[in-house]
Amino acid sequence: MQEDIEQRISAIYHAHYQDVYYFLLHFTGNQNDAEDLTQEVFTRVLKGLAGFDGRVTLKTWLFSIAKHAAIDQHRKQKVKSFFSENWLMKLATKEGSPENVLTKRENVRELKQAIQKLAPHYRLVLILRCIEEYSIKETAEILGVSESKVKVNTHRALKLVKEMMDDTEEGGFLNEWARG
Amino acid sequence: MSGLEDEKLTVQLRGLRRQDPPPRQEFVTYLDQTLVKQARQMKQRKTAGRILSMAGGAAATVVLALLVAVPDGKEAPEGTSSVRTEQRAENAPSLAKEKDIPEQRNIPLVAEQRKISQVKEQPKQKERSVITQSQSLPKSQTLPKTASNTPTLSVEQYMKQKLGDKSTQYQLASNHLEKDTAVFQRVINGIPFADSVVKVHLESDGTPAGMVIEENFDAEADLSLFPNPEKAISKEEAVQRLTASLKQEEVATFAGYINALNGEVLDRRFQSVAATGSYSLIPIQAQGKLLMANSDEEIATLIQKEFGVRIGGDNRPLSTEEHESYMEYTWKMTDATYLTARFAKKSGQLLAYRMKTNTESHTSPELSQAEAAQIGAKKLAYYLPSQITQLAMEGAVVEDSAIRLDFIAITQGARAESHKYKVWVDSTSRQVVGLEGNFSEIGESSTESNKGNSPSLELHYVWPELNGKRTPAPYLVYQVKQ
């Protein structure tokens, strides 16, 4: 197994780097941080590859490493602002009138702001379930919680996001970190 | 939130999936190359380690043979040494094989390399560590740079290049564990701050390959929030507080903190040990019972017998999933209760089992955490290898109608990081409804004995998060050196 470690890590990297990167981008809201953390994740994967025993799927293992990397970073870093200009300024342009584009951009911006304001456990479950569309079982495995917990937290996270977006529309964006 | 709004929001969220730009192509290529390079180096180090241990074994044998043959320094009779050498050389490969240990062990820690090179002259070798002195780091905490012809940056130069003058605020962490990473901690008021860390990734020759900065920006804002270390209680007093709060055998492995301002002993979650009693070691009598089964039928019988559960029908599982190294079986027991068990494919050994009821209801536990821990540890002890004499409880959470306990094995007074366990105890029936963990024997490398009567303490700043929110100011704490 050790002999083909170069091929293995390269294959794993090519198959999953985008998924890991996007997951971390949604979590951090910052492209640079997402790239740094992606590097951190795959370095950890390389180190742990020999010990990976297949008790969970490779993807679940990768994402639990990514989750830990994201949480570690969150724990050690109090973000300077609630949203990243880097991420928000790079929103893809959609077809439509300038007004429509602007409205859509504004909605997406608000949505991203709301995600960034969620407490990490809600943010993680929302990203995995609602954005990356993992199953309840997969999400539970990645996060190391029960499936019922995943359901409950997804529901609560959605509710919080909705509340925050409503607050924004009413002009009173709640400036509260770590809801829930 | 109405159903329609809920759906709209879900659609919006799904739309975010790949809306953002992908990672920069140059980054993708760079990381790909870096990983392949690191993988190659890992392989080379492993190979080199094997060759070195073989060659080292053979060389040592020659020296030993000469010493034995010529105790007073006289020339050995012709033939004597060569015969001995040949005999030993034949044995050398098998000896080397026995020493075919993980590659990390062949490569000393950066700190070890430093220590060796300061104490005695370096033996000739291809990749020799060279010590550089730096104003930012104490003499005992400098790092190697390469002595090759190509000029390369030392870690200090690299830090200076990346961080500017701020690099002087960082100090090599005394307890950094990763072999190919130099971990620096920020030092405030002369005290290391655990939440501001710079990790410099090193190539095998000590050349810096990249860095990760994990910073707490609060520290940038107001350094006056950091408690004055002059107000700290003495180490002796901290030790007294610790030994007064814990059992003697718990002290050496204590993973929590002692608040250096008021002497309060805190667990890993910064909760007072006196208030919660949450840090505890549970002595066990491990019985090393192996649970083995090789067919669906055998597995069902074993689980029913061992865990007192009743599987209806003909013992056939509802589903069988084949994974790379294990098989996972699920039985439906009642309308909403399922039993899942994992068995190793090769050995047929039970790896985990869990009985769950798929309801969303959450009952408040009728069982205290301490009681659950006793029940869980007692059951777990049947299946643990006999080297384990104690379990340290690392945490407890309520999951559905059960309390999940997280344990780590303690053997020879040290934590065995490779042997962690989860045990679920039903809060109503008080039965163990799930077990998971490493039930194999503990290798010698899994633990490092840290027995000792008087713990060695280090002073740190930490900035805790309680209930998801950072405390208003950092804590100045003592920690036991593990």
Side-chain angles (χ1 to χ4, degrees):
Chain A
M1 195 164 64
Q2 189 68 24
E3 271 61 44
D4 56 13
I5 193 162
E6 288 172 54
Q7 288 97 316
R8 283 188 76 198
I9 190 66
S10 192
I12 291 170
Y13 174 70
H14 282 283
H16 299 289
Y17 79 84
Q18 282 217 350
D19 290 343
V20 170
Y21 166 81
Y22 277 115
F23 168 72
L24 293 166
L25 180 62
H26 292 305
F27 188 87
T28 60
N30 178 294
Q31 189 177 16
N32 286 337
D33 285 350
E35 286 182 354
D36 285 348
L37 284 174
T38 303
Q39 178 167 358
E40 177 84 3
V41 168
F42 281 99
T43 305
R44 288 190 199 180
V45 167
L46 175 61
K47 285 179 192 167
L49 200 53
F52 174 60
D53 60 5
R55 285 176 67 176
V56 291
T57 65
L58 181 68
K59 201 162 183 181
T60 305
W61 182 57
L62 270 175
F63 273 81
S64 47
I65 291 174
K67 178 200 84 172
H68 284 297
I71 295 283
D72 284 354
Q73 194 238 23
H74 169 80
R75 200 173 63 80
K76 288 170 179 161
Q77 186 176 35
K78 183 162 184 176
V79 289
K80 281 173 177 168
S81 60
F82 286 129
F83 55 92
S84 150
E85 286 304 319
N86 182 325
W87 190 36
L88 297 172
M89 294 307 283
K90 290 186 178 178
L91 300 177
T93 310
K94 302 273 179 184
E95 294 284 325
S97 67
E99 290 79 12
N100 280 346
V101 171
L102 202 65
T103 311
K104 276 182 185 172
R105 279 193 172 203
E106 200 50 44
N107 280 343
V108 173
R109 185 192 293 268
E110 284 166 15
L111 187 57
K112 288 182 175 180
Q113 283 184 25
I115 295 168
Q116 288 300 297
K117 289 182 72 176
L118 286 174
H121 61 292
Y122 287 142
R123 211 185 317 167
L124 287 168
V125 82
L126 194 81
I127 294 168
L128 291 169
R129 285 284 296 130
C130 302
I131 301 178
E132 296 299 330
E133 297 182 79
Y134 280 93
S135 70
I136 291 174
K137 192 182 172 196
E138 285 171 321
T139 308
E141 277 187 352
I142 291 166
L143 298 178
V145 298
S146 68
E147 291 179 25
S148 350
K149 188 87 179 164
V150 169
K151 288 181 201 167
V152 170
N153 280 355
T154 308
H155 180 72
R156 287 180 185 162
L158 281 168
K159 200 175 163 198
L160 283 168
V161 168
K162 179 69 181 46
E163 279 173 14
M164 283 190 269
M165 291 187 71
D166 287 346
D167 288 340
T168 316
E169 278 170 20
E170 287 158 17
F173 199 93
L174 292 179
N175 208 16
E176 187 188 329
W177 179 256
R179 281 165 166 267
Chain B
M1 189 162 48
S2 75
L4 195 65
E5 284 174 327
D6 203 336
E7 197 179 321
K8 192 182 159 194
L9 181 57
T10 312
V11 170
Q12 274 188 311
L13 284 164
R14 212 174 292 150
L16 291 181
R17 186 156 191 258
R18 292 290 176 267
Q19 195 182 49
D20 298 299
R24 292 170 297 118
Q25 191 51 48
E26 57 270 41
F27 165 76
V28 175
T29 312
Y30 158 78
L31 185 51
D32 187 20
Q33 288 168 350
T34 306
L35 288 167
V36 171
K37 193 176 169 189
Q38 285 175 348
R40 195 175 304 137
Q41 283 168 348
M42 279 171 72
K43 218 161 70 175
Q44 284 167 350
R45 268 181 273 169
K46 178 134 187 153
T47 313
R50 278 186 187 152
I51 294 165
L52 276 175
S53 58
M54 283 169 71
T61 309
V62 173
V63 173
L64 190 65
L66 284 170
L67 286 172
V68 170
V70 195
D72 55 358
K74 288 177 187 171
E75 205 176 304
E78 237 182 277
T80 313
S81 63
S82 63
V83 170
R84 283 170 189 252
T85 308
E86 278 163 19
Q87 284 171 344
R88 294 295 295 173
E90 278 171 16
N91 292 335
S94 63
L95 284 171
K97 205 167 184 179
E98 282 165 27
K99 290 180 180 177
D100 188 11
I101 48 182
E103 39 137 334
Q104 288 96 329
R105 280 203 255 163
N106 293 322
I107 298 160
L109 285 169
V110 174
E112 286 169 358
Q113 290 173 340
R114 188 175 63 243
K115 196 173 168 188
I116 291 164
S117 57
Q118 282 190 328
V119 172
K120 53 187 174 184
E121 209 177 302
Q122 281 282 353
K124 281 182 185 175
Q125 53 188 26
K126 272 188 178 176
E127 292 175 356
R128 192 161 63 93
S129 298
V130 175
I131 296 302
T132 55
Q133 300 298 343
S134 158
Q135 287 182 338
S136 61
L137 299 173
K139 282 184 181 179
S140 60
Q141 293 193 337
T142 51
L143 284 160
K145 68 175 182 181
T146 53
S148 66
N149 292 331
T150 318
T152 52
L153 289 176
S154 70
V155 178
E156 295 92 337
Q157 287 166 336
Y158 182 77
M159 293 271 287
K160 172 91 179 164
Q161 190 185 73
K162 295 284 174 188
L163 301 175
D165 291 342
K166 200 181 163 191
S167 66
T168 57
Q169 295 176 17
Y170 289 86
Q171 183 177 298
L172 186 67
S174 57
N175 58 345
H176 69 90
L177 297 173
E178 296 164 63
K179 273 86 180 163
D180 53 2
T181 307
V183 182
F184 291 84
Q185 275 185 339
R186 189 161 175 208
V187 176
I188 296 169
N189 300 331
I191 306 294
F193 177 34
D195 285 355
S196 272
V197 172
V198 171
K199 291 179 181 173
V200 180
H201 297 291
L202 303 171
E203 303 284 10
S204 58
D205 61 0
T207 312
M211 87 168 23
V212 174
I213 303 171
E214 294 169 351
E215 269 206 306
N216 184 321
F217 289 113
D218 290 331
E220 295 290 335
D222 191 358
L223 290 179
S224 68
L225 289 172
F226 286 73
N228 184 349
E230 287 177 11
K231 291 182 180 169
I233 59 172
S234 68
K235 270 188 189 178
E236 291 71 27
E237 195 180 338
V239 169
Q240 280 174 8
R241 296 286 189 127
L242 188 63
T243 48
S245 304
L246 302 174
K247 294 174 192 165
Q248 196 187 349
E249 64 270 24
E250 293 174 346
V251 172
T253 54
F254 181 60
Y257 310 90
I258 303 116
N259 188 324
L261 296 186
N262 59 21
E264 193 177 18
V265 181
L266 307 167
D267 65 15
R268 289 185 318 128
R269 293 178 177 77
F270 296 95
Q271 302 297 315
S272 165
V273 166
T276 63
S278 60
Y279 184 84
S280 57
L281 288 185
I282 303 170
I284 57 159
Q285 286 193 319
Q287 296 182 23
K289 187 175 183 181
L290 287 174
L291 297 181
M292 315 283 270
N294 291 306
S295 66
D296 301 5
E297 190 80 8
E298 273 183 42
I299 288 168
T301 310
L302 178 76
I303 288 183
Q304 291 184 88
K305 188 179 155 198
E306 204 60 40
F307 302 111
V309 295
R310 191 178 165 82
I311 297 171
D314 55 1
N315 287 349
R316 289 244 172 101
L318 184 71
S319 70
T320 304
E321 278 181 40
E322 185 168 357
H323 295 260
E324 200 178 325
S325 61
Y326 66 89
M327 298 290 292
E328 184 173 293
Y329 304 91
T330 302
W331 290 268
K332 190 171 183 181
M333 302 180 68
T334 61
D335 280 348
T337 304
Y338 293 83
L339 174 76
T340 303
R342 285 179 181 175
F343 279 79
K345 263 160 78 172
K346 272 189 185 171
S347 63
Q349 189 180 3
L350 177 78
L351 302 173
Y353 97 98
R354 175 85 170 100
M355 199 159 61
K356 280 177 79 175
T357 303
N358 284 349
T359 58
E360 295 244 349
S361 63
H362 294 267
T363 53
S364 48
E366 296 163 19
L367 185 65
S368 75
Q369 186 178 302
E371 282 177 293
Q374 288 300 331
I375 294 169
K378 191 178 170 190
K379 185 75 178 173
L380 192 57
Y382 285 115
Y383 314 110
L384 296 182
S386 55
Q387 304 125 299
I388 300 173
T389 51
Q390 291 170 315
L391 292 170
M393 200 167 84
E394 294 207 309
V397 287
V398 176
E399 276 189 10
D400 305 327
S401 60
I403 296 180
R404 192 192 86 197
L405 304 142
D406 295 343
F407 293 113
I408 183 167
I410 304 288
T411 177
Q412 298 176 341
R415 296 154 64 86
E417 293 295 334
S418 58
H419 284 61
K420 291 186 174 181
Y421 303 92
K422 290 176 184 171
V423 183
W424 289 263
V425 181
D426 187 274
S427 54
T428 309
S429 70
R430 295 169 182 249
Q431 295 293 313
V432 173
V433 289
L435 282 180
E436 187 184 314
N438 184 351
F439 297 97
S440 59
E441 295 285 313
I442 298 180
E444 282 180 19
S445 60
S446 299
T447 59
E448 283 179 24
S449 183
N450 54 2
K451 285 178 183 173
N453 294 328
S454 182
S456 177
L457 300 181
E458 285 177 319
L459 205 51
H460 290 284
Y461 283 121
V462 289
W463 205 324
E465 263 187 25
L466 301 176
N467 301 321
K469 286 188 179 176
R470 208 176 282 281
T471 52
Y475 286 13
L476 180 62
V477 295
Y478 282 106
Q479 268 191 292
V480 177
K481 278 188 198 172
Q482 293 289 341

